[in-house]
């Protein structure tokens, strides 16, 4: 029996019900809500494995719900929306979402994305073959990151990073002094083939990391952009 609890939040009842049918077919345990506020209560009392959030909802939109969840929880989040512009996608990713699916969609694609996100999340959190390979720590200029404890701090202030954010930062620290391309970073962290559109995903997560590290956008001290090449930590 699949032990994963999947949260579905969409004020369009037909869409939420459809996703429930397809995901239950894969033996996921579903927690379905038509409003963000009711879903938040569930998140606080249930060990959720993955969330699927609609963007346009009354009371609280999906972006705000995603941001609220990310204050305490790091499970994968997939955003659902009718918006197709890159700005909306980058906004969702920068707030902590892991994937983005536009409406209308094929329910089988959503199922496939759910499986991919859960496989990746479980791999990085339980597999000895994850990007972080051994109990090693990195300490430089006030930035401390420990692969063994999966903890990170900056000037003694703890950074609350998602698993993907942690692995991006560790990957860069592990190669400090070298420039890592967006292609290399994406394929190493996401474990999928890189396409040009995936650069937005990498950029959004780097921006989110810098924001959590209180890095100035134009002159970052830690994660630096080498234009046309990639990213580096010196």
């Amino acid at each position: 029996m699949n032990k994963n609890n999947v949260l579905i939040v969409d004020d369009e009842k037909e869409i939420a019900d459809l996703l429930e049918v397809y995901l239950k077919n894969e033996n996921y345990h579903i927690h379905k809500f038509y409003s963000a506020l009711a879903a938040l209560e569930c998140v606080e009392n249930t060990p959720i494995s993955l969330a699927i959030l609609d963007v346009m909802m009354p009371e609280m939109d999906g972006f705000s719900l995603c941001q609220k969840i990310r204050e305490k929880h790091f499970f994968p989040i997939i955003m659902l929306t009718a918006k197709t512009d890159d700005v909306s996608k980058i906004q969702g990713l920068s707030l902590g979402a892991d994937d983005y699916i536009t409406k209308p969609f094929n329910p089988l694609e959503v199922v496939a994305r759910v499986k991919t996100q859960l496989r990746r999340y479980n791999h990085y959190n339980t597999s000895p073959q994850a990007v972080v390979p051994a109990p090693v720590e990195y300490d430089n200029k006030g930035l401390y990151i420990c692969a063994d404890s999966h903890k990170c701090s900056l000037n003694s202030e703890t950074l609350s990073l998602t698993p993907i954010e942690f692995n991006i930062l560790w990957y860069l620290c592990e190669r400090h002094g070298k420039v890592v391309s967006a292609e290399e970073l994406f394929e190493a962290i996401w474990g999928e083939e890189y396409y040009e559109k995936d650069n937005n995903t990498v950029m959004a997560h780097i921006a989110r990391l810098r924001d959590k590290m209180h890095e100035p956008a134009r002159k970052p001290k830690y994660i630096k952009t080498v234009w046309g090449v990639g990213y580096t930590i010196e």
Side-chain angles (χ1 to χ4, degrees):
M1 179 69 178
N2 200 319
K3 296 181 180 179
N4 287 304
N5 290 309
V6 175
L7 175 71
I8 299 173
V9 190
D10 197 318
D11 65 322
E12 293 186 65
K13 186 176 184 298
E14 296 79 7
I15 291 179
D17 293 349
L18 178 65
L19 290 175
E20 179 183 29
V21 169
Y22 274 82
L23 289 169
K24 272 190 172 180
N25 229 23
E26 299 293 329
N27 295 319
Y28 292 111
H29 187 59
I30 305 301
H31 299 266
K32 180 181 63 177
F33 297 91
Y34 305 124
S35 75
L37 296 181
L40 265 181
E41 185 176 347
C42 172
V43 169
E44 292 306 313
N45 297 291
T46 308
I48 297 299
S49 306
L50 178 144
I52 301 174
L53 312 179
D54 181 38
V55 170
M56 303 300 292
M57 292 187 291
E59 298 178 335
M60 178 187 293
D61 64 32
F63 290 144
S64 300
L65 176 57
C66 175
Q67 191 171 28
K68 199 74 178 171
I69 289 174
R70 278 291 177 254
E71 291 177 2
K72 298 181 181 179
H73 307 281
F74 306 117
F75 51 76
I77 295 176
I78 298 174
M79 305 298 294
L80 285 180
T81 183
K83 295 184 177 181
T84 59
D85 59 286
D86 287 339
V87 173
S88 296
K89 293 180 181 180
I90 292 172
Q91 181 182 359
L93 292 170
S94 66
L95 290 174
D98 298 279
D99 203 355
Y100 204 104
I101 299 176
T102 55
K103 300 177 182 179
F105 55 79
N106 184 331
L108 292 177
E109 179 188 358
V110 178
V111 171
R113 299 279 190 100
V114 167
K115 288 181 178 179
T116 297
Q117 288 296 332
L118 285 173
R119 183 169 60 248
R120 181 182 301 142
Y121 179 74
N122 292 330
H123 175 73
Y124 278 126
N125 283 278
T126 62
S127 171
Q129 301 301 320
V131 169
V132 179
V136 181
E137 60 184 21
Y138 176 87
D139 193 352
N140 185 37
K141 299 179 183 177
L143 174 63
Y144 174 80
I145 183 168
C146 180
D148 189 27
S149 63
H150 232 253
K151 292 181 179 179
C152 182
S153 63
L154 182 59
N155 298 323
S156 300
E157 178 186 346
T158 299
L159 300 179
S160 298
L161 305 181
T162 67
I164 285 182
E165 290 167 352
F166 182 93
N167 285 303
I168 289 174
L169 186 57
W170 177 260
Y171 195 87
L172 292 173
C173 286
E174 197 175 34
R175 291 155 182 78
H176 65 92
K178 298 180 180 179
V179 180
V180 179
S181 68
E183 178 179 359
E184 178 185 344
L185 199 55
F186 183 86
E187 293 184 352
I189 303 302
W190 278 266
E192 299 176 5
E193 186 178 354
Y194 176 87
Y195 296 97
E196 192 62 34
K197 63 181 178 62
D198 295 320
N199 192 40
N200 285 338
T201 300
V202 174
M203 288 172 60
H205 280 86
I206 291 291
R208 180 66 173 168
L209 261 174
R210 284 174 172 160
D211 183 57
K212 289 185 176 183
M213 295 168 72
H214 309 297
E215 287 258 70
R218 297 195 174 185
K219 290 186 177 181
K221 179 180 178 182
Y222 298 97
I223 304 175
K224 298 185 178 181
T225 300
V226 179
W227 295 108
V229 185
Y231 304 94
T232 184
I233 289 183
E234 296 177 348

